[in-house]
Amino acid sequence: MSSYSPFLSTPAGKPGGQPTPTTGRPGGGASLNELNPSQRDAVTTLSGPLLVLAGAGTGKTRVITFRMAELIRQGIDPNRILSVTFTNKAAKEMQERMSHLLGRKLKAKPTISTFHSLCVRILREEIEILGYPKAFVIYDRGDQESAARKALRDIRISDAAMKPGDLISRVSRWKMDGILPELAKDFVTDDRDFLAATAYRKYQQSLRAAGAVDFDDLLLLTAQLFEEFPEVLKRCQDRFDHVQIDEYQDTNEMQFQIVGALVRPHRNLCVVGDDDQSIYGWRGAEVKHILGFQQQFPGAKVVRLQDNYRCTHQIIEVANQLVHHNRGRHEKTLVAHKDGVAVAVKPHPDEQVEAEAVVREISYLVKELEVPPQDIAILFRTNEQPRIFEMELRRVQVPYHLVGGQSFFDRREVRDMMAYLKLLSCPTDEVSLLRIINVPTRGIGDSSVEKLLNRAVKSGRKLFEVVADAVAEKEITVKTAAAIEKFRQLMDEYRERFSVPGGRLSATFESLIEVIDYESEIEKQYKDASQQLARTAVIEECVTALHQYEQRAHRPNLTEFLEQSSLAGNDRDFGENDDFEKAAVKLMTLHSAKGLEFPRVYLVGWEEGILPHQRSVDDESPTAVEEERRLAYVGITRARDFLTISHAITRMKWGKRRESVPSRFLREMYVEIAKKNAAGPTTDH
C-alpha cells in the first residue's frame, strides 16, 4: 500500500548513524557483513516471535530493512511480508532503503505501510459488512469537530457544558481502548463522562449516516471486523506469513489487538522498539505491550541493540545514568562509539537570561564559527516556552523555524477544497456539505441552513430532501431554495465528471474551482494583495497535488486521492515538510523531536513543574514521572556531538517572580555529569 503523501514532499531520510549501503545483490547477500553482531542476530532470526530492543541511535530501521531482504533471500515471497510503522515519513524511508537493498527492478516488494494505511486497505474491502459504504470518507479534525458540535446540539448540551474538542478527546480515548458507543456508559467516571457517552452515540450515528469514519475508527472498525467476522480475519491472516512492527512501544490497545490477530496462525512476528522512548501515553500508547511481549508471545527471542552510532560517549553516559532510574523497563545499556566534550549544565538567574545566553552562543556559532543553523536545535517541554527564544533569535537576526506550526491541511482554503472533493466523492457527507454550501457566497444564509438542518434531523432525511417542505412552510425563501438546487445540480454534474473512467481529475478540479469562482472568496477574506497571492498559491498547490497523484496512481480515482490526503494530513511526523530543511535553527517540543537528531542540541527549562511536567508530578500513578523521564532521555539522545542543558533559578508565574526548583532529572544525572565536567571545562561549543 503506497504511503505517498500527495501534498508534502518528504526529504531524504534523516541521518541514521551507520551509512545505508547502496550496493549488494537482491536479497541482501553480502550486506550482512556490514551489520554488527547484534544486528546480524536480529536480521537472521526469521521465524517465531522476535523482540528487538533497539536503543536510541542503534540502527533499528537498518535492521528492519535488512531483515526483510534476508527473508526474501531465504525464499519468502515478498508479497507475503508486511512491515508496519507509524508515520508516512518512516514508511517512505523504509521503502527507499528496500529499493537500495533489493534493486529497483524487483517486481514484487514487501508491503510497507503505516497502521492507518493498512487498516484503510482492509476496510475498503470489508467495511460494507459493518454498514458503511466502500467509498467511505475519512474525517479530519475539523470535520470531527463539526460532527461533535452537531451531536452535542442534538442532545441539547451547550458549549459551556462541553466543548466539541473535549468530546472528541473522550471519544478518542474510548475508541483507542476498543469501547464501542453502546458500551461507553459502562466506563464513565463522572457527570461529564456520562454526557460524553450519550453524545458519543449521536456522534457515531452521524458519521455512519454520512458514510464517514474518523482516524480512530480506522483501527477500531478493523479490530471489530477481526473479532466479529472470523472469515474476514482469515482472509487478512492468509495474506501475510511474516509481519514486522516498528516503534512497537507506541502501539495502543487497538493496534496491539490487530497485530495479535493477524499473526495468530504463524506467530512470525518481529517487533522493534525501545521502551525507554515510550513517550506517547497521552495519546493511548501502552508501554506494557513492549514490556510484556514475552508473556504475550511465550518463547519469544529477545535481541538487544545497544551500540549507539549517533552520540558521543559523554552524552550516552548521561542518558544511561538518567533512564536507569526507571523501574518499568527492559534492562539495557547503550554503548557509544565516538568521543566528544562534556555535557554542559548551565543555571541562569531567570528565563530571560537563559534565552539570551542560549541565543548568544548560537549566534556566535552561526556568525563567527559558520556552523550551519540547521545543525542546531532548541528543545523544550511545553508550547509556551519558545516565545522568548523566538524574540531573542529575531533580535540577533539568526534564522529559525518553529516546528509544529499550522499544517498545510489546516489552512482554510485547503479545507474548503477538500470539502468539495469529499462531497463529490460521498454525497452523504453532511459535514462537508455544511462547510461549503455557501462558500463562496451563493445566497444561502446560515439561518436557512440551520432551519433545513433541524428539519432534516427531526425527519431523519438528508438536507437536500427537505428543501421543498421548508419552502412550502415558508421556513426558507424560494430564492434560497433555487440557490440550493443550483448548488445540488453543480455537485451532481461534477460528480459525474470526476467518475468518468480515464478522465483527468486535476483538470476537472481546476474547472470546478473556476466555476465556483473561489478566487472571489479569497478576495473577500483577504484585502492585502500579497495575502491574496499567497492563498491563491495554496489553491494551485491543491491542483498540483491531484496532478501528482494522477501521475503516480495506477488507476486514479477521487476516493483514493482523498484517502491518501487524509492519511498524510493526519501524519504529524515533524520534519516532513520543505520548511524543515531550510537553513534555520529548529525550535520544537521534545515530543516533536523524537526520531530526529542534530549535531548540537540545547535542552531548556529543566525545572520541576516543566520537566517533569506538573501534571505528571501531581499524578498519583507511579508511571507518570517515568514517562517524563523517558521524554528527557529522548531529548538527550537527539544530540550527536554537543549537548547543553539549562534551567532558570527564578521564573515569572502568574505575574510574579518565583523561585524554581531544578529538575530532579539533573540530580539523577549529576554523578555522571560532575565526573565528566571534572575532566575539563564544559566549553562554549
Side-chain angles (χ1 to χ4, degrees), residues 56 94 100 112 158 167 205 207 218 222 227 247 307 339 342 404 463 495 500 502 507 533 551 573 598 610 612 667:
M94 220 175 278
H100 287 310
I112 300 174
S158 67
L167 173 59
Q205 287 167 3
L207 263 62
L218 296 176
T222 301
E227 184 176 347
E247 302 285 11
D307 291 285
D339 198 12
L463 188 140
R495 191 170 293 115
V500 172
L533 192 62
Q551 303 284 110
D573 187 31
F598 303 89
I610 297 178
R667 297 196 299 274

Side-chain angles (χ1 to χ4, degrees), residues 119-135:
C119 290
V120 167
R121 175 177 175 172
I122 293 168
L123 292 173
R124 287 285 179 219
E125 296 176 6
E126 309 285 359
I127 199 171
E128 285 181 311
I129 201 170
L130 293 175
Y132 290 82
K134 277 192 175 183

Side-chain angles (χ1 to χ4, degrees), residues 140-193:
D140 61 21
R141 175 71 184 200
D143 298 330
Q144 283 183 271
E145 288 191 358
S146 297
R149 187 172 290 108
K150 179 177 179 293
L152 290 167
R153 185 181 58 202
D154 286 349
I155 61 171
R156 292 175 170 76
I157 300 299
S158 67
D159 270 14
M162 178 171 290
K163 290 183 170 57
D166 295 335
L167 173 59
I168 292 169
S169 296
R170 280 171 161 79
V171 167
S172 179
R173 177 64 64 166
W174 281 324
K175 287 185 177 183
M176 283 189 288
D177 289 339
I179 299 169
L180 296 170
E182 54 270 22
L183 300 176
K185 287 185 178 178
D186 295 336
F187 295 87
V188 301
T189 56
D190 54 37
D191 289 344
R192 284 173 64 80
D193 265 2

Side-chain angles (χ1 to χ4, degrees), residues 555-572:
R555 291 179 180 170
N557 65 83
L558 193 55
T559 299
E560 185 180 63
F561 171 73
L562 289 167
E563 171 191 307
Q564 293 186 357
S565 303
S566 295
L567 292 171
N570 187 55
D571 190 352
R572 298 299 190 233

